[in-house]
Amino acid sequence: MEERDIRQESERELIHRIVAGRKQEFCFLVDRYKQKIYGLLRGMGASPMDAQDLTQETFIKAYRKLASHQSFASWLYTIASNLLKDHKKKHRFEEHPIGQADTAVNDGPEQSLLRTERRTEFQRLLALLPANYRMVLLLRYTNDLSYEEIGEVLEVPVSKVQNDLYRAKKRLKQLMIESKEGMEYEMLGPR
């Protein structure tokens, strides 16, 4: 059996136990997905504070209707995505860049600075993509969802997921090339 199938089966069993009264086991689902949901929301431009609040709200909504869904992960991402859309509508939404991740312990100051600069530049370029492109990239590559699961989350056909993912990667690559050329031009200095 494939790893994803085993994980889904164990999640179904866990959900059955929670619904049957072992409510304290919900913390296992929260622990499994909280960083991924938070990362998705940050990747879509939510501030750290908003991402924390929306992550918490996502799990509260999921808990309330836990028994009614088969694919917990897809459903959870759908809840988070819809909460973010609602939040953007209700509040004057200003996108926030993703904060710096921890550096490796073995990194020297130079490696740490280079990694931080690359990460910051990547996040800046990612923010230039349309929201639907960012969303498919994040769901696919940071949350490891299949095309079918992404289609469920975004409520679009798999063909649109594939198309958006292809276009997102192509556009991101183009932005990276343009950014690199711009940096090289700046390094030449004034003429």
Side-chain angles (χ1 to χ4, degrees):
M1 196 181 271
E2 192 177 311
E3 182 181 335
R4 175 171 274 152
D5 294 338
I6 293 169
R7 186 181 77 215
Q8 286 177 340
E9 185 61 36
S10 66
E11 277 182 7
R12 280 191 214 111
E13 292 171 10
L14 180 59
I15 290 168
H16 287 300
R17 289 195 306 267
I18 295 166
V19 171
R22 296 177 68 177
K23 297 179 186 330
Q24 69 278 8
E25 290 189 26
F26 188 69
C27 69
F28 296 120
L29 291 173
V30 172
D31 285 342
R32 184 176 292 166
Y33 290 104
K34 67 183 174 188
Q35 289 299 80
K36 291 181 177 187
I37 296 296
Y38 177 83
L40 174 69
L41 294 167
R42 289 288 287 133
M44 291 305 296
S47 71
M49 191 176 214
D50 287 341
Q52 285 178 345
D53 291 346
L54 292 170
T55 298
Q56 185 175 7
E57 196 173 335
T58 296
F59 285 105
I60 291 169
K61 284 187 173 245
Y63 182 79
R64 289 182 180 149
K65 298 190 182 208
L66 190 59
S68 63
H69 290 277
Q70 292 296 319
S71 176
F72 181 75
S74 296
W75 179 54
L76 196 63
Y77 292 119
T78 302
I79 293 171
S81 175
N82 289 337
L83 285 172
L84 182 62
K85 286 177 193 172
D86 291 345
H87 182 76
K88 284 180 179 181
K89 288 177 188 172
K90 289 180 186 174
H91 305 285
R92 203 173 109 207
F93 190 78
E94 185 177 321
E95 291 198 3
H96 296 270
I98 296 176
Q100 308 308 323
D102 295 333
T103 58
V105 176
N106 297 336
D107 277 357
E110 189 174 330
Q111 291 91 355
S112 177
L113 179 62
L114 288 172
R115 179 178 289 114
T116 300
E117 286 177 354
R118 282 192 302 261
R119 187 177 296 114
T120 301
E121 179 63 9
F122 181 77
Q123 294 303 329
R124 185 186 72 77
L125 296 175
L126 189 63
L128 295 175
L129 294 175
N132 59 318
Y133 287 3
R134 274 186 285 158
M135 183 68 86
V136 294
L137 283 170
L138 291 167
L139 289 172
R140 180 71 178 150
Y141 295 110
T142 63
N143 295 297
D144 198 31
L145 268 63
S146 69
Y147 293 155
E148 292 79 15
E149 290 169 321
I150 295 169
E152 287 177 33
V153 170
L154 301 177
E155 298 175 341
V156 297
V158 171
S159 60
K160 174 144 176 55
V161 171
Q162 292 169 325
N163 191 28
D164 283 355
L165 191 57
Y166 171 78
R167 289 181 178 181
K169 290 189 291 188
K170 186 175 177 179
R171 180 67 183 132
L172 187 58
K173 181 178 179 181
Q174 180 184 9
L175 289 170
M176 292 171 92
I177 290 169
E178 290 170 4
S179 175
K180 184 179 179 186
E181 289 171 357
M183 287 191 299
E184 288 172 357
Y185 180 76
E186 287 177 15
M187 291 173 65
L188 293 175
R191 295 187 178 208

